[in-house]
Amino acid sequence: MADTAAGDSGTSLEQRLDAMLEIERFDPSQQFREQALLSDPAVYERAARDPQGWWAEQAEALDWFERWDTVLDDSEPPFYKWFTGGKLNVSYNCLDRHVDAGRGDRVAYHWRGEEGERRDVTYAELHRDVQRFANALKDLGVQQGDVVGIYLPMIPEVVVAMLACARIGAPHNVVFGGFSAESVKERMEFSEAKVLVTVDGARRKGKTAPIKATVDEHMGDLASLKTVVVVRHARLDGVPMTAGRDVWFDEVCAAAAADCPAEPLDAEHPLFILYTSGSTASPKGILHTTGGYLTGVAATHRYVFDLKPDEDVWWCAADVGWITGHSYIVYGPLANGATSVMWEGAPDYPHKGIWWEVAEETRATLLYAAPTAIRTFMKWGHEIPERYDLSALRLLGSVGEPINPKAWLWYHQVIGGGRCPIVDTWWQTETGAIMITPLPGITSTKPGSATTPFPGVAAEVVGEGDGEPIDSGQGLLVLTQPWPSMLRTLYKEDERFVETYFARFGKERYLVGDAARRDRDGYLWIIGRIDDVVNVSGHRLSTAEVESAIVAHEKVAEAAVIGQSDEDTGQAICAFVTLNGEIEGTDELIAEIGAVVAERIGKFARPKRIIWADDLPKTRSGKIMRRLLRDIAEGRALGDVTTLRDPSVMASLESQIKDAQ
Ligand code: 6R9
C-alpha cells in the first residue's frame, strides 16, 4: 500500500505527504514478512494464554549459571520478583558467551567521533577492557552492592564502565552528560555512590567542556564518595586531580589484573539505578535488577527490530545516559551479539548531513531515533538525507514522545524510501523495555499510534474516575500484569514507589502516568503525561524541578512552569515568573534565570519562554492552576476560572502577555 502511494508522480514531497495523511494503515510488505523473525500473529495468543511461559522462553535465550525455580513470585505485590533462584551475570551474557562462541572479532560498536575519528571496538576488545576495569574497581575497594556513579559522554568507555559494574555486581548510576555537575552531585548523594567515573572533558560541536574541573567545583565533600576515576578523552591539559581521591582510568586499568571471572548473581540482584523525573522536584531512583531486565531488553530488541545479529548494523541514536541508551545501546544489543553504531556528537556537527553520512558509511540497517530529531531533519529539508545512500536501511524506530503523522510519513518516505516499516515504541524508564509497539512482520501500523502491547504485556485504557476499562475512547493508560523488566522499586523509597504507581488503581495495575486513547481496532494512541512531567525533545523533566531552580534566583518570588506545545521539541518549557517587590523583568534577567537553571539541572532544561506575571492563578487552597497557564501560553480561550481565589489574575496575565508581544 505504502509503495504505491509513495510513487513519484512529479508532485512535491509536501503534496505527496499530505495525500498520504489519508492512508490509515500500512501493512507489512510481503518481502519484509517473509524474512521476519516473527510473522505469525499466533504469538500474541500464545503469550496471552501463558505469559509466564512466554517470558520463561525468552529468559532461556540467556545463559544462566543456575536455572530459576520460580518464573514469577507475586506473593508480595507490587514488589514482584522474576526468575527467583536463578543466577546469571549480565556482563557474561553481553560478552563472554559471544567471545566463547568464536564471535570475538565481531564489531560491537562502530564508534564515530565528532572530528571524524573512527574506532571499531570488537567483542573481544570490550571483554578485555571490561575485565580490567572490573578488577580496577575491585582494587579501589568496590564490593558487590556498592553504587558506582557514571558521568561520561558517548564514548566506548561508558559501556566498559557499565559492564564492569555489572560484572562484579556493583549497581551503576549513570547521569546523562547534559545534566549539570550539581545534578550529578545530588544523584551521587541520594545513591551514596562510592566511586564516580567521569571524563577530563566532553566535546560538543567543536568545543570542549572541562567536565572534571566542573565536577570538582560542585562535588564538595561527599562522605560516601571515595574515588573519582577520570577517563582521558579530550586530552585536556591541567586537569585538576586530588591526591588520594582521583585516579586516571587508563592507569588503574593498566595496573589491574587481566582476568576477572563474571560473578554469578541472583536474578534479582540490582543492576542499576537511573534517576528520572516525576511529579515532585526530587528525582526518582528507578531500580532495575538482573534477570528480568536482561530478558525484557534482549527479547524486545530482537523481535521489535527484527534483529539478525549476523547481518544487521543497529543504530540507536539516543544517549547512553537515558533509559533508551541503557536498554538499546548497551544491554539489548550486546546481549543479542549485535553490531551497533555509536555516534559521539550532535546531529548538526560538523554538518547537517552527518547522521546520514555515518549511516551510509557504516551501512546501518536499523535506525532508532526520537520524533524531535525527525522533525528537525524535516525542517532542514529532504535534500540533505537524499544526498546519501541509505539503501541499507530496512527498518526504522521511534521513541520518546508521540510522533505526529506528518513526521512519521516523512521518516517513512525520505529516510526509509517507502520500504522500511516504522515501529513507534512506547515505554518508560520504569518499564525498562519496550511495552507497546508494532511487531514489524505482523502489525499493520497507523501513523501516530504505538499500536498494541508486545507479547506478554497487558495494557488497558481506564476511566479517570472509575478505573473501568474503556473499549474505545480516552482515559488513563495502565499495565495490568507484571512483566520481567519492570522497575522493582524507587531506590530507598518503597513507599513512594507504591504511592506513585499502585495507589490509584490497586497493586495489580501499574499507573503509567500517560493519557491514551484506544480506537475501535484496539490500537493505542498515547496522548501525553497526566502528571507535571514535561517532555522536551524526549527528555523527561518535572515542572517542580525547574520551578525550584528558577526560584533559586534571588530576584524571583515565585514561578510556575508548564510544558507548552512546540513544533520542534514536542513540548517546551514555559515559565511564568513573579519577581520580588518592584523589580522589572528584563532580557538580562531572562538570561540570568536561564543560567541558574542550566547550572542546577542542565542546559536542556532552560525555559524557552519566560512570561513575567504580577501574580499566578491559584485555587482557594493555594494550588497553581497550570491548566489555565497552558491555555494562556498556547493562546486558547480560557477554561473554567470560577475556582480561582482571585479570577482577576487571569485578565491581568492576559494583558501582560499582550504588552510583551
Ligand atoms: C523510553 C522513554 C517516558 C515517557 C512516557 C511517554 C513518553 C515515550 C513514547 C512516548 C508517545 C511513544 N513516550 N515513548 N509517548 N509515544 N512512542 O522515553 O522513557 O524518558 O522515561 O519517558 O515518554 O510520556 O511516559 P522516559
Side-chain angles (χ1 to χ4, degrees), residues 545-560:
E545 217 172 332
V546 182
E547 284 163 7
S548 75
I550 294 177
V551 298
H553 191 290
E554 53 178 14
K555 292 185 180 151
V556 174
E558 194 174 29

Side-chain angles (χ1 to χ4, degrees), residues 323 400-402 424-429 514 526 529 535 540:
I323 191 66
E401 44 171 332
D424 174 2
T425 63
W426 175 91
W427 58 294
Q428 312 175 293
T429 308
D514 282 333
I526 312 299
R529 304 287 310 188
N535 190 329
R540 240 171 104 165

